[in-house]
Amino acid sequence: MDKINTFNFQIGRRVEVTLEEEAKRQAERDKEVAEWEQEANWMLHPEKFIYHQVFERSYRLFRDCSLDNSPHGKQITKWLGGDNGLYIWGDVGVGKTYLALSCLKWQLARKQTGYIWTASELLDRLRYFIGLKDNLSLEKQVDNYSRLPMLIIDDFGVQATTAWADEQLYEVINRRWLKRDSLITIVTSNYIPEELEQKAKDEIIGGRIVSRIIGMCKVLHIEGKDRRLAKRT
């Protein structure tokens, strides 16, 4: 008969668990810890999987994008070289994400790390860490995003608006604004900066977000027709 581990309890009663079952549970716990450590390592060292992230998420245009192919390329390169952030806004399909990916490619060519997420994806990743492991899990991830050498937040302003979402975006953007001389933050949106205030659940927080974005980013308005529709005609 298998030996019994008597130090397992459920809701006030002893539960007999074999050493084999306990070993299985420990293996599951070890796996969870390993996954957690891997996630933390990825967050701190995104260069280890940035190419995987870009290609795995079907950014096929990343292969061909380049600031050299854009009429705004020289100006953007000058801004980025001066450690300035960038706020790119314009209508749907005018090439905002293309420019953002071109900036990411420029960053990687300098052997520096960079990240690109839509605002919604960024918030989804932060939600994952709510209550996970310890009370500081969410705080650690906010801090990790706040320290990335380049962070691109795509499609800002279309994310689901809640007080919690506004607070998390404010925390990330505010911390990056405080380190604006050494970090590059790029934001793309369909809205002029002032319109973002109206998108926030709390206008005060929305105003603070916009103020910091403008404080650390050069504003670039892209005009033109929807390229995606043009390709179908």
Side-chain angles (χ1 to χ4, degrees), residues 33-214:
V33 170
E35 291 175 349
W36 166 260
E37 291 177 347
Q38 183 183 49
E39 179 70 22
N41 185 56
W42 280 359
M43 286 296 209
L44 291 172
H45 305 285
E47 71 276 8
K48 293 183 179 180
F49 71 113
I50 182 65
Y51 286 101
H52 170 77
Q53 178 215 355
V54 170
F55 288 108
E56 192 69 18
R57 297 176 65 248
S58 299
Y59 278 127
R60 285 175 290 182
L61 58 83
F62 183 77
R63 293 192 294 265
D64 303 318
C65 67
S66 170
L67 289 175
D68 294 335
N69 299 331
S70 169
H72 308 283
K74 290 185 178 180
Q75 184 62 66
I76 292 176
T77 301
K78 182 179 179 180
W79 285 338
L80 295 179
D83 291 330
N84 291 293
L86 192 61
Y87 183 86
I88 308 171
W89 72 278
D91 292 334
V92 174
V94 295
K96 301 184 296 297
T97 301
Y98 177 93
L99 278 179
L101 287 170
S102 297
C103 293
L104 174 59
K105 206 169 203 178
W106 173 88
Q107 176 78 343
L108 296 176
R110 299 195 308 156
K111 307 301 181 184
Q112 297 291 320
T113 59
Y115 240 111
I116 179 169
W117 297 104
T118 66
S120 298
E121 289 170 334
L122 178 61
L123 289 168
D124 284 343
R125 288 183 66 80
L126 291 177
R127 287 189 188 94
Y128 174 79
F129 290 98
I130 296 177
L132 188 63
K133 290 294 179 183
D134 56 65
N135 294 330
L136 295 178
S137 297
L138 177 59
E139 167 62 24
K140 290 176 182 177
Q141 298 314 308
V142 169
D143 188 58
N144 285 336
Y145 281 121
S146 302
R147 291 187 287 111
L148 291 172
M150 175 182 280
L151 175 64
I152 301 173
I153 307 177
D154 200 20
D155 284 337
F156 197 98
V158 300
Q159 69 275 4
T161 303
T162 65
W164 180 88
D166 291 344
E167 289 172 2
Q168 304 313 309
L169 289 173
Y170 169 75
E171 281 299 324
V172 172
I173 290 172
N174 181 57
R175 296 182 193 190
R176 296 187 67 82
W177 176 78
L178 293 172
K179 301 175 183 177
R180 60 192 178 279
D181 293 335
S182 58
L183 304 178
I184 297 176
T185 304
I186 298 175
V187 180
T188 76
S189 179
N190 295 335
Y191 305 100
I192 61 174
E194 292 74 16
E195 288 179 317
L196 292 179
E197 295 185 40
Q198 304 171 8
K199 295 292 179 180
K201 190 74 172 180
D202 186 317
E203 291 187 7
I204 295 178
I205 293 181
R208 290 176 178 174
I209 290 174
V210 171
S211 174
R212 283 154 178 77
I213 289 176
I214 297 302

